[in-house]
Amino acid sequence: MSSVQVDEDFLDFVRARQDPLLRAAVLMCGNHHLAQDLLQDALAKVASRWDQVRHGSPEAYIRRILYRDAISHWRKWRREQPYDVHSPDGDFVTRHAGPDRADEWVEGAEVRAALGELAPRQRAVLVLRYYEDLPEEQIAEILGISRGTVKSQASSALANLRRLLPGLEPVLTGEGGEHA
């Protein structure tokens, strides 16, 4: 049996950033268990290249892997959902066991349910744009789509949220403009 040598700097990075990365992954894919798997895979990929990415922007590199793997999963499974997002135990953020603070970032069950109703790409664009506060160019690069597609997906997603959450119209209208 061989032992694996792990860089202490990498471990410190993982300890410091794993919770925010997991929260973003949960919001991105809508399933806590899948988010954990995606993050674990992304961290394993980065661990093998740590010497090459440690001095650049390792978190951006992990996020790119994370979101691209999520897209690959969506393409593989299309819009098939292995659980019912409409059932109480199928709630897309809170159905997991164990502590998670995604609820602090996305307030209220209505918003979580509405996000669960969006198409995966729309949800990804909203998470990257408003939760991660990324510019359109970076979102397009991460998701492998054009900047125009980012804009149209964001517009469609916000329109769907307005339809699903009419009480949030003033908030959504204030955030629905151009994102710097």
Side-chain angles (χ1 to χ4, degrees):
M1 186 168 169
S2 66
S3 65
V4 176
Q5 187 71 19
V6 179
D7 189 312
E8 193 64 35
D9 186 39
F10 176 72
L11 291 176
D12 290 341
F13 172 80
V14 170
R15 286 182 195 112
R17 302 307 305 153
Q18 70 183 353
D19 288 341
L21 288 167
L22 181 59
R23 282 192 296 270
V26 168
L27 292 171
M28 174 67 61
C29 68
N31 178 300
H32 186 76
H33 300 293
L34 175 58
Q36 288 176 320
D37 290 345
L38 291 171
L39 181 57
Q40 182 177 354
D41 290 345
L43 290 172
K45 290 174 183 176
V46 169
S48 67
R49 309 183 110 226
W50 183 246
D51 287 336
Q52 297 166 340
V53 299
R54 75 175 351 143
H55 299 294
S57 182
E59 187 165 349
Y61 187 69
I62 289 172
R63 288 181 190 280
R64 180 172 293 138
I65 293 169
L66 184 66
Y67 297 128
R68 286 189 176 168
D69 286 355
I71 289 168
S72 294
H73 182 268
W74 297 330
R75 286 179 179 151
K76 179 179 177 183
W77 294 102
R78 296 287 178 198
R79 294 184 59 105
E80 191 175 311
Q81 295 177 338
Y83 59 92
D84 183 4
V85 296
H86 300 290
S87 71
D89 57 325
D91 185 335
F92 109 82
V93 172
T94 60
R95 95 181 248 266
H96 59 83
D100 183 30
R101 294 193 172 90
D103 295 87
E104 295 172 13
W105 296 95
V106 179
E107 295 180 10
E110 289 180 277
V111 174
R112 288 190 304 273
L115 284 173
E117 293 290 320
L118 297 178
R121 185 177 286 168
Q122 288 180 358
R123 186 171 48 229
V125 167
L126 287 186
V127 170
L128 291 170
R129 191 167 184 189
Y130 296 105
Y131 175 73
E132 298 289 331
D133 198 30
L134 297 179
E136 291 167 350
E137 296 81 16
Q138 195 171 357
I139 296 169
E141 182 182 339
I142 289 170
L143 297 178
I145 58 178
S146 71
R147 185 172 178 226
T149 301
V150 170
K151 288 180 176 186
S152 67
Q153 291 293 304
S155 176
S156 296
L158 290 173
N160 285 334
L161 285 180
R162 285 184 193 103
R163 181 181 49 80
L164 294 167
L165 300 167
L168 291 181
E169 179 66 27
V171 174
L172 294 173
T173 301
E175 294 183 19
E178 283 297 309
H179 186 66

